[in-house]
């Protein structure tokens, strides 16, 4: 009578023996997906510099260079998870890595901002097939009692990527051209594919779902329209503009149609029924709001360290080390804290700590001791570690093992959508407040350069450099306008994190659920005795 309690099919002994090596390969695959965004965060100032150093990208083009990746990634994640369930996760993972590598090579050779945005979208296509497959494979090579530990290590891998990315990007930008930050992905992809062919077993869902092309199309169109409208509003510093309102409205209508279609479809991209589980929904919302706040803050913190404080890309990468170090230290251990205090207390506490650190950005100015920023980054990483691990475990264990691809895809879809909206919304707030703060000081700038000069601090400083001694009068006002915009944007991010804390406090369980307990003994007997 105990055998039905075993969660899914038995894991073969040969696979069980090499499960930690498999996890290492999966983390390498995850590394390149996260590494790319963390490298790009350091490179955005260089890319915004006029040719030949960069591409002369505007702030809105930089937001699109990031969001072209995240929107394609988010829009296709669930279908990618279903394809992995149907065709085999190993096959889909290798194909995704190959596409990601090709997109990286093309992005490195971009000759314009438009090309970079297009090739970033190709990279997002490949990454969409990588991310859900890594967690799905993990869930199929570890028994349930080891899954929280494995997921904690997997989440720690995100911290490792956040650490390696900015430092690697800084070293590359100090010695090579800006495209090297994308070209570095190619050898990592080649190594990951080779190891995967040797070590990783294939797995699939015995009853996979059907692909939902209409749902995929509606979700991508809706998100692109919504994000485009938000970014355009920030670019114009006017969210009441007719074009902005129409685009945002159209995006919301299309997303409404997407939800309506999903409810009626017998093979939806996203099974709306999953969200009837309040614990599952709260964990998903927490992840989305964390990345909303974090991605927006990461976007402006690079301009603070480089444009206001004058640090190089490499120095900026080193400044971000505490954020990554905290994640690497605490993410694998967060499950122990959850065991003692429960999901609700740990996740809510992590979100409140994150909110406090985002609010602390309001004390930073052009002369604040840099060690204060380092303490803030470390505590932000600590908060994230105690959010990501418990919420990932809740999400992945809420669905049956054979649906691991779907659970992983849902988690990552909302993570990426949250991040994309964070960059769009908080980036637009930053842009709009900055323009309103600097435009009165641009009266002496030639008329043809005035609008572009008000788009971002980098644009203002670029115009100041062209104007020579006359332009030096713009530097201090540009710093002041940016700091004011950064402070207001940070408060918005902190507010979002507080909303996440309220959601988790209301709906996450107070203690780790005890129902898996009867499954542990049979699971252990199966894996060690076969």
């Amino acid at each position: 009578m105990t055998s039905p309690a075993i969660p899914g099919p038995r894991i073969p002994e040969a696979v069980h023996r090499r499960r930690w090596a498999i996890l290492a390969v999966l983390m390498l695959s995850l590394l390149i997906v996260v590494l790319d965004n963390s490298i790009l965060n350091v490179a955005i100032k260089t890319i915004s510099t006029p040719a030949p150093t960069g591409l002369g990208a505007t702030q809105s083009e930089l937001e699109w260079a990031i969001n072209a990746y995240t929107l394609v990634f988010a829009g296709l994640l669930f279908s990618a998870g279903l394809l992995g369930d149907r065709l085999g996760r190993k096959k889909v993972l290798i194909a995704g890595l190959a596409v990601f590598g090709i997109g990286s090579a093309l992005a490195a050779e971009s000759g314009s901002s438009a090309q970079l945005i297009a090739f970033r979208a190709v990279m997002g296509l490949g990454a969409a097939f990588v991310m859900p497959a890594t967690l799905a494979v993990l869930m199929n090579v570890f028994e349930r009692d080891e899954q929280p530990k494995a997921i904690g290590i997997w989440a720690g891998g995100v911290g490792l990527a956040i650490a390696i990315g900015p430092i690697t990007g800084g070293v590359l930008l100090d010695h090579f051209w800006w495209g090297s930050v994308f070209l570095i992905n190619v050898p990592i992809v080649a190594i990951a594919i080779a190891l995967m062919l040797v070590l990783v077993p294939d797995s699939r869902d015995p009853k996979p779902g059907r692909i939902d092309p209409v749902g995929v199309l509606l979700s991508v169109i809706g998100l692109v329209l919504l994000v485009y409208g938000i970014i355009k509003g920030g670019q114009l510093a006017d969210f009441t503009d007719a074009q902005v309102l129409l685009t945002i409205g159209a995006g919301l209508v299309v997303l409404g149609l997407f939800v309506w279609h999903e409810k009626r479809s017998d093979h939806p991209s996203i099974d709306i029924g999953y969200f009837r589980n309040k614990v599952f929904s709260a964990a998903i919302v927490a992840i989305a709001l964390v990345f909303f706040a974090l991605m927006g803050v990461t976007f402006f913190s690079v301009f603070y360290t480089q444009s206001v404080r004058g640090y190089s890309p490499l120095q900026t990468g080193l400044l971000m080390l505490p954020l990554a170090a905290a994640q690497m230290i605490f993410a694998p251990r967060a499950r122990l804290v959850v065991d003692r205090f429960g999901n609700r207390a740990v996740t809510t506490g992590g979100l409140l700590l994150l909110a406090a650190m985002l609010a602390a950005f309001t004390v930073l100015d052009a002369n604040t001791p840099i060690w204060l920023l380092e303490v803030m980054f470390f505590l932000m990483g600590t908060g994230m570690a105690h959010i990501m691990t418990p919420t990932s475990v809740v999400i992945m264990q809420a669905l049956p093992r054979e649906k691991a691809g779907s659970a992983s895809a849902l988690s990552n879809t909302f993570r990426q959508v949250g991040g994309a909206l964070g960059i769009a919304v908080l980036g637009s707030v930053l842009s709009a407040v900055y323009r309103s703060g600097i435009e009165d000081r641009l009266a002496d700038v030639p008329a043809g350069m005035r609008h572009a000069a008000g788009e971002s601090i980098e644009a203002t400083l670029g115009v100041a450099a062209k104007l020579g001694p006359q332009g030096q009068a713009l530097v201090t006002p540009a710093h002041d306008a940016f700091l004011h915009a950064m402070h207001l944007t940070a408060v918005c991010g902190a507010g979002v994190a507080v909303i996440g804390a309220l959601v988790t406090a209301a709906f996450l369980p107070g203690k780790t659920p005890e129902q898996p307990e009867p499954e542990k003994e049979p699971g252990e007997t199966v894996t060690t005795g076969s």
Side-chain angles (χ1 to χ4, degrees):
M1 295 301 292
T2 56
S3 57
I6 299 173
R10 290 170 57 178
I11 297 172
E13 179 62 24
V15 173
H16 181 74
R17 281 199 305 267
R18 65 176 190 268
R19 64 196 185 284
W20 298 109
I22 293 169
L23 178 60
V25 178
L26 296 177
M27 287 177 63
L28 181 62
S29 304
L30 175 71
L31 186 74
I32 61 167
V33 175
V34 180
L35 182 79
D36 177 72
N37 269 336
S38 59
I39 283 183
L40 183 60
N41 284 333
V42 173
I44 53 178
K45 180 181 180 293
T46 305
I47 295 171
S48 68
T49 306
T53 303
L55 292 174
T58 65
Q59 181 155 316
S60 60
E61 287 172 337
L62 288 173
E63 290 175 37
W64 274 114
I66 297 171
N67 281 337
Y69 176 92
T70 53
L71 288 174
V72 172
F73 192 177
L76 296 178
L77 264 172
F78 206 84
S79 291
L82 287 174
L83 275 176
D85 290 344
R86 177 182 291 273
L87 302 177
R89 285 124 187 180
K90 178 178 179 178
K91 298 183 186 73
V92 165
L93 186 48
I94 290 173
L97 284 169
V99 171
F100 185 88
I102 292 168
S104 298
L106 293 171
E109 300 299 328
S110 299
S112 66
S113 297
Q115 287 183 9
L116 177 61
I117 291 167
F119 294 138
R120 287 278 297 161
V122 174
M123 293 171 67
L125 172 64
F129 288 87
V130 173
M131 182 70 90
T134 59
L135 259 184
V137 171
L138 181 154
M139 297 298 285
N140 277 276
V141 299
F142 284 92
E143 292 290 357
R144 189 180 180 92
D145 62 317
E146 281 189 323
Q147 287 171 5
K149 181 179 180 181
I151 290 174
I153 295 171
W154 180 89
V158 175
L160 180 64
I162 292 173
I164 294 174
I167 296 169
T168 305
V171 170
L172 292 170
L173 291 171
D174 274 1
H175 294 90
F176 305 101
W177 92 114
W178 64 265
S180 61
V181 301
F182 298 111
L183 199 61
I184 191 66
N185 293 331
V186 177
I188 301 175
V189 164
I191 293 169
I193 289 176
L195 291 173
M196 203 158 300
L197 288 169
V198 175
L199 288 172
V200 176
D202 208 352
S203 63
R204 66 184 73 200
D205 185 347
K207 297 179 181 178
R210 288 159 54 200
I211 304 302
D212 175 25
V214 175
V216 171
L217 193 62
L218 286 172
S219 65
V220 172
I221 292 173
L223 285 170
V224 168
L225 286 171
L226 178 61
V227 169
Y228 177 82
I230 294 169
I231 292 175
K232 190 69 176 176
Q235 185 182 357
L236 298 173
D238 182 9
F239 286 91
T240 63
D241 181 84
Q243 182 186 358
V244 172
L245 291 175
L246 284 172
T247 309
I248 292 175
L252 292 173
V253 168
V254 174
L255 289 174
L257 287 173
F258 167 72
V259 173
W260 176 80
H261 169 77
E262 296 303 285
K263 285 184 175 180
R264 293 172 59 89
S265 175
D266 59 357
H267 56 286
S269 287
I270 295 177
D271 189 339
I272 305 298
Y274 294 152
F275 294 93
R276 295 192 188 101
N277 182 328
K278 291 181 180 179
V279 172
F280 179 82
S281 297
I284 287 283
V285 168
I287 281 183
L289 293 182
V290 164
F291 273 80
F292 180 101
L294 186 75
M295 292 297 286
V297 169
T298 303
F299 185 77
F300 70 62
S301 65
V302 171
F303 286 103
Y304 171 71
T305 55
Q306 294 187 40
S307 299
V308 177
R309 302 302 299 263
Y311 290 101
S312 70
L314 176 57
Q315 289 170 326
T316 297
L318 292 170
L319 287 173
M320 290 184 178
L321 262 179
L323 177 69
Q327 286 199 61
M328 286 189 289
I329 292 168
F330 294 112
R333 296 170 174 80
R335 64 189 176 84
L336 303 176
V337 185
V338 171
D339 288 344
R340 178 160 185 175
F341 298 105
N343 281 297
R344 180 191 303 151
V346 174
T347 307
T348 303
L351 280 159
L352 290 174
L353 178 59
L354 179 62
M357 291 306 102
L358 293 174
F361 270 85
T362 58
V363 306
L364 299 180
D365 58 31
N367 301 304
T368 303
I370 205 64
W371 64 261
L372 183 61
L373 179 64
E374 298 298 270
V375 172
M376 288 162 55
F377 275 152
F378 184 82
L379 292 175
M380 283 176 68
T382 303
M384 279 197 67
H386 290 90
I387 301 164
M388 296 304 299
T389 299
T391 52
S392 295
V393 172
V394 166
I395 291 165
M396 293 306 294
Q397 293 192 343
L399 301 182
R401 176 184 288 172
E402 63 272 14
K403 300 294 182 184
S406 299
S408 173
L410 266 174
S411 170
N412 286 292
T413 295
F414 279 83
R415 181 183 305 179
Q416 295 302 319
V417 169
L421 290 176
I423 292 168
V425 173
L426 298 183
S428 294
V429 170
L430 183 76
S431 181
V433 176
Y434 178 79
R435 182 181 285 281
S436 66
I438 196 67
E439 59 187 357
D440 290 343
R441 309 302 298 265
L442 299 177
D444 296 332
V445 174
M449 305 169 70
R450 200 171 298 154
H451 181 80
E455 259 212 359
S456 67
I457 183 173
E458 209 45 48
T460 306
L461 296 178
V463 168
K466 288 180 183 177
L467 295 176
Q470 177 191 353
Q472 287 303 303
L474 289 175
V475 174
T476 299
H479 287 172
D480 292 342
F482 177 82
L483 287 169
H484 174 64
M486 181 182 80
H487 294 162
L488 189 60
T489 306
V491 170
C492 294
V496 168
V498 169
I499 292 171
L502 293 174
V503 171
T504 57
F507 297 113
L508 284 190
K511 288 288 184 182
T512 304
E514 297 294 334
Q515 63 266 28
E517 193 66 36
E519 300 168 2
K520 289 183 179 178
E521 290 183 15
E524 290 168 357
T525 302
V526 168
T527 54
T528 57
S530 55

